[in-house]
Amino acid sequence: MVKDSEFLTLVFQSILDEIDVGLHVVDEHGNTIVYNNKMMQIEDMEKHDVLNKNLMDVFMFSKQQDSTLVQALQEGKTIKNVKQSYFNNKGQEITTINHTYPIVKDGKIRGAVEIAKDVTKLERLIRENMNKKGNTTYTFDSILGTSPAIQDVIENAKRATRTSSSVLLAGETGTGKELFAQSIHNGSDRSGGPFISQNCAALPDSLVESILFGTKKGAFTGAVDQPGLFEQAHGGTLLLDEINSLNLSLQAKLLRALQERKIRRIGSTKDTPIDVRIIATMNEDPIDAIAGERMRKDLYYRLSVVTLIIPPLRERKEDILLLASEFIQKNNHLFQMNVEHISEDVKQFFLSYDWPGNIRELEHMIEGAMNFMTDEQTITASHLPYQYRMKIKPADIPEPETPRHQPAADLKEKMESFEKYVIENVLRKHGHNISQAAQELGISRQSLQYRLKKFSQPPAES
């Protein structure tokens, strides 16, 4: 019988430690008798710091009554869905949403149980967003590149500063979408207003609505009057990064707010007019996101009044060495170094590499290389991170000079002629379907459209 009891205790403890909510149980004197692993994670404590100790000796509350466990013990009432902020024994602030209820036997309160959900990071996120107003540093002068692909996007983005229409920025990770968003804001008549940036992928589905639209005091127990991102961005710009990560029901609510130009806080019956310009970003082709049901078609049409496709670095290789030079100078200033050159074999590698991480990858590669340098002035293959170093072939053969009787323009014309030939054949193969042709060529739809315009091709079916 004893063995059965020990086994049941073991099973009970195992279950408590595996559940994904915090569990804290105190006896009638406020001493902790149950404290599971999830609660340890939420409060960043060890079990021996809490077990068999009085609640008020371990944690600090602004008032004793602020402890929902103490309220359950003293008043015998069940408290549901209450937000509570307090401090652990290290002085760290913890914020949870609690369900707390007393344990009653023979009409007497014998203890209390608390089930907690962690919202500490979310509360910190709200405060950070409140401090982001007007915090922009980039303008169009910050966007480097002379290639036609990037210059075309810059010119279109500059035109977009004249209005308050929504803008959709699509491009792979690391292509510089936030630079464009801040540049559009700073170049517009909203530059004196707030610029609020939020990565939608970082928002939990259960709380994203309150983050976007705000809450009214009394909406739920512990709720306070809290403006959402739309109200914080009033008169300015709201950047919604990775908009396609929002679930479809939330996208519908976002669409309604954009169409009606007003929002309603959770728990409120009053609509609040908003004057906000929306800039949204996606790290995939919008058509693919719609087809994969990650993006509502109606929201896409609402956001894409102005659509800018930021080209990946592999489609603007003319800019690679210019960007590399800029990153070298930036790190020279940070590290107090005097690096001036890149070796020929590294240059050739830069120009032949596909750059899946785009500009961000190039910047990190330069910074990593300069961390391995001392007083050298030239970045060589030996300075690059190992995973790149092994891909570089030594430049044993010097670059041939162009003969005086053969102008460089001849070679350029031949390359353009061959490029035109390849594009024409691929288009013909796919019945002039832009999407399919671009996929086979390994370039974006916008890049293919740009080349067709350059070659004066007749319009193709999309």
Side-chain angles (χ1 to χ4, degrees):
M1 200 61 188
V2 175
K3 289 184 179 180
D4 287 344
S5 175
E6 291 176 352
F7 176 72
L8 288 173
T9 301
L10 180 62
V11 170
F12 177 67
Q13 187 62 50
S14 298
I15 293 172
L16 291 181
D17 285 337
E18 288 299 321
I19 59 176
D20 195 35
V21 290
L23 189 68
H24 192 164
V25 182
V26 296
D27 63 18
E28 58 191 300
H29 304 294
N31 297 321
T32 298
I33 55 176
V34 176
Y35 190 73
N36 75 341
N37 284 344
K38 185 63 179 181
M39 204 67 180
M40 287 171 53
Q41 295 173 17
I42 292 172
E43 296 177 336
D44 193 20
M45 306 272 277
E46 298 295 333
K47 285 190 177 180
H48 62 76
D49 294 327
V50 183
L51 278 175
N52 303 314
K53 295 182 179 178
N54 190 275
L55 178 73
M56 303 308 296
D57 292 336
V58 178
F59 300 99
M60 184 171 66
F61 302 84
S62 58
K63 296 183 297 183
Q64 178 171 313
Q65 288 75 20
D66 286 343
S67 167
T68 48
L69 275 170
V70 169
Q71 290 179 51
L73 283 176
Q74 293 181 348
E75 302 173 27
K77 64 179 182 180
T78 296
I79 305 166
K80 291 187 176 182
N81 203 29
V82 169
K83 184 170 74 173
Q84 175 179 246
S85 292
Y86 55 100
F87 297 87
N88 66 9
N89 64 351
K90 303 171 188 174
Q92 298 170 337
E93 186 176 14
I94 311 297
T95 304
T96 55
I97 301 292
N98 297 339
H99 294 290
T100 314
Y101 52 90
I103 300 171
V104 180
K105 183 180 180 182
D106 299 329
K108 293 186 63 177
I109 298 173
R110 303 293 185 178
V113 177
E114 185 159 272
I115 300 170
K117 182 178 180 180
D118 187 19
V119 292
T120 304
K121 291 181 180 178
L122 181 63
E123 286 294 302
R124 192 177 299 124
L125 183 65
I126 292 172
R127 286 197 292 267
E128 288 173 357
N129 274 319
M130 291 293 288
N131 294 326
K132 280 186 179 179
K133 295 186 177 182
N135 184 24
T136 56
T137 56
Y138 299 114
T139 66
F140 286 112
D141 292 337
S142 308
I143 304 172
L144 301 178
T146 58
S147 65
I150 197 64
Q151 283 297 316
D152 186 47
V153 181
I154 291 172
E155 287 306 309
N156 287 330
K158 286 180 177 178
R159 294 188 187 103
T161 62
R162 298 176 297 184
T163 71
S164 289
S165 298
S166 299
V167 178
L168 179 64
L169 299 171
E172 297 175 9
T173 299
T175 50
K177 296 186 289 295
E178 176 134 2
L179 269 71
F180 275 92
Q182 289 194 20
S183 298
I184 292 170
H185 170 79
N186 284 329
S188 73
D189 59 6
R190 293 176 174 269
S191 58
F195 178 88
I196 304 295
S197 174
Q198 178 60 59
N199 186 331
C200 297
L203 295 175
D205 286 347
S206 58
L207 296 165
V208 65
E209 191 173 356
S210 61
I211 293 294
L212 288 175
F213 305 123
T215 55
K216 179 177 173 57
K217 185 176 182 180
F220 51 86
T221 308
V224 297
D225 285 325
Q226 176 70 55
L229 297 182
F230 275 94
E231 288 183 76
Q232 293 175 43
H234 185 75
T237 303
L238 174 58
L239 171 61
L240 297 175
D241 197 17
E242 296 189 52
I243 188 75
N244 49 316
S245 66
L246 287 179
N247 70 45
L248 297 182
S249 64
L250 288 168
Q251 290 186 28
K253 293 178 181 178
L254 176 60
L255 174 63
R256 191 179 307 116
L258 296 179
Q259 289 175 332
E260 298 176 359
R261 295 184 179 275
K262 55 189 176 183
I263 58 96
R264 180 179 295 184
R265 292 188 185 184
I266 294 176
S268 175
T269 57
K270 177 185 175 183
D271 290 331
T272 302
I274 51 169
D275 173 24
V276 176
R277 181 182 202 168
I278 299 295
I279 300 180
T281 76
M282 300 177 65
N283 55 12
E284 63 175 328
D285 189 314
I287 305 303
D288 292 339
I290 293 170
E293 297 185 347
R294 293 180 295 279
M295 183 79 179
R296 287 179 61 104
K297 188 182 293 186
D298 47 6
L299 178 60
Y300 165 70
Y301 290 139
R302 186 66 185 80
L303 292 173
S304 62
V305 176
V306 177
T307 301
L308 301 173
I309 310 295
I310 316 300
L313 190 54
R314 62 181 172 276
E315 292 182 16
R316 45 180 294 213
K317 291 197 172 184
E318 309 98 304
D319 298 330
I320 290 175
L321 297 183
L322 172 65
L323 290 164
S325 177
E326 177 67 20
F327 296 143
I328 288 172
Q329 295 310 313
K330 174 184 174 181
N331 287 300
N332 274 338
H333 177 72
L334 290 173
F335 302 152
Q336 297 297 299
M337 298 174 72
N338 191 32
V339 177
E340 296 180 1
H341 308 290
I342 301 173
S343 66
E344 286 303 316
D345 53 351
V346 173
K347 283 183 181 179
Q348 292 305 313
F349 169 67
F350 280 3
L351 294 173
S352 62
Y353 184 56
D354 273 347
W355 298 105
N358 294 293
I359 298 172
R360 187 179 297 139
E361 183 180 9
L362 174 60
E363 182 175 12
H364 291 169
M365 188 187 296
I366 294 291
E367 182 180 350
M370 292 178 69
N371 270 280
F372 285 106
M373 302 177 72
T374 51
D375 57 353
E376 302 101 321
Q377 293 185 325
T378 301
I379 294 177
T380 67
S382 63
H383 298 124
L384 297 184
Y386 178 80
Q387 65 269 31
Y388 302 109
R389 198 184 315 153
M390 303 307 294
K391 299 176 181 179
I392 297 178
K393 297 178 181 179
D396 296 325
I397 304 173
E399 188 176 337
E401 295 183 4
T402 303
R404 292 182 181 178
H405 64 275
Q406 183 186 359
D410 289 352
L411 178 60
K412 182 179 179 181
E413 288 171 2
K414 289 178 180 178
M415 291 178 67
E416 288 184 349
S417 177
F418 179 72
E419 182 181 26
K420 181 180 179 182
Y421 169 79
V422 171
I423 288 175
E424 286 177 341
N425 277 277
V426 174
L427 274 171
R428 195 175 299 112
K429 173 183 173 182
H430 291 286
H432 291 268
N433 184 295
I434 294 291
S435 297
Q436 294 176 11
Q439 185 175 5
E440 178 168 333
L441 290 166
I443 60 178
S444 68
R445 286 168 52 90
Q446 187 188 34
S447 183
L448 179 53
Q449 293 279 20
Y450 165 77
R451 286 166 169 79
L452 292 176
K453 183 178 178 182
K454 182 175 68 172
F455 298 143
S456 301
Q457 288 278 357
E461 296 177 7
S462 59

